[in-house]
Amino acid sequence: TLDRSSAASDVYKRQTELSGGQAQRVALARSLAPGPRLMLLDEPLSALDRALREHMVGVLGEVLRATGTPAVHVTHDQDEAFAIADRVAVLAEGRLLQIGAPGVLWRRPRTREVAEFLGYDVFLTDTDAEAFGATGLGVTGDVALGPASLVVARDGELGVEVPVRGQHVRRGYVEAVVGLPSGGEAEVRVPDLVQGETVRVRLDADAVALVGERH
């Protein structure tokens, strides 16, 4: 004889017994059940740990697209916004700085303020741009560097020899701080600690932001 009450206890849980991810799935299902014309999501994943948040980003994006539900998703996490959104709006102190498709916004921030918000923290001077061959990229403003904009030049590739000013071991890579021709600094991700005092690097044109309008 099957004890229905014990079987139910294995399947059904109180809300307080749910894990963070389970609670988020339940909340999402409840919100979608009435077939809303628009969903407003205000930091829906902020309380989750990193691994679970990254998983739920995928789940949320898939569900919204599968159901065809429009949504306004508010978040301070740029990776989350770019993974979910079809269009991203950057707001600062109540001002709309820029709105556009994720790829366009990432590669073509309209101003330095937008670029810095997205994580670009180094802007090449004319001296740097000339040394790295960035003067022909066709932008009236700045060339901004992100974490992957400078890479170690391989044998046969043109590069610039720059001094290594510091190194920090991260998860799966080393973050080397190098000096730029203008005297500024930038970061280069390398697989292992750099043994010498200098390293030859090149600019990855596909990993920079062109700030401003084209000529």
Side-chain angles (χ1 to χ4, degrees):
T1 303
L2 176 65
D3 185 341
R4 294 173 63 88
S5 61
S6 63
S9 66
D10 292 335
V11 177
Y12 300 104
K13 293 182 178 180
R14 294 187 177 87
Q15 185 173 358
T16 55
E17 298 175 325
L18 298 176
S19 67
Q22 289 171 333
Q24 290 287 7
R25 290 184 181 89
V26 170
L28 181 59
R30 285 176 173 173
S31 300
L32 289 169
R37 290 183 293 176
L38 177 68
M39 286 186 67
L40 302 179
L41 305 168
D42 186 5
E43 298 280 4
L45 310 179
S46 59
L48 304 179
D49 61 56
R50 184 173 184 82
L52 185 54
R53 185 168 67 248
E54 290 177 352
H55 171 70
M56 285 301 299
V57 164
V59 171
L60 182 57
E62 289 175 5
V63 169
L64 290 175
R65 289 182 174 88
T67 58
T69 305
V72 176
H73 184 109
V74 179
T75 179
H76 288 86
D77 188 315
Q78 288 109 334
D79 291 335
E80 184 178 311
F82 277 74
I84 292 177
D86 296 315
R87 289 173 63 79
V88 176
V90 178
L91 297 171
E93 299 179 352
R95 295 178 297 123
L96 177 61
L97 302 182
Q98 188 173 348
I99 184 170
V104 174
L105 189 69
W106 181 251
R107 291 293 310 280
R108 301 287 307 187
R110 186 174 298 154
T111 64
R112 275 201 177 200
E113 186 177 5
V114 174
E116 289 173 344
F117 179 81
L118 295 176
Y120 293 100
D121 56 359
V122 177
F123 299 87
L124 296 185
T125 65
D126 291 341
T127 299
D128 297 327
E130 184 175 356
F132 286 107
T135 53
L137 293 180
V139 63
T140 58
D142 299 308
V143 177
L145 303 186
S149 298
L150 290 180
V151 297
V152 176
R154 299 176 181 177
D155 292 340
E157 292 181 333
L158 295 177
V160 179
E161 199 76 21
V162 293
V164 178
R165 295 181 177 174
Q167 301 188 68
H168 309 283
V169 178
R170 305 301 187 196
R171 293 185 300 173
Y173 66 94
V174 175
E175 184 180 87
V177 180
V178 299
L180 297 175
S182 65
E185 292 184 343
E187 296 174 356
V188 181
R189 291 184 178 181
V190 294
D192 298 299
L193 289 168
V194 178
Q195 300 303 315
E197 296 182 353
T198 65
V199 63
R200 195 163 56 90
V201 300
R202 65 174 177 83
L203 187 71
D204 184 351
D206 292 328
V208 301
L210 306 181
V211 185
E213 301 298 330
R214 292 186 183 276
H215 288 292

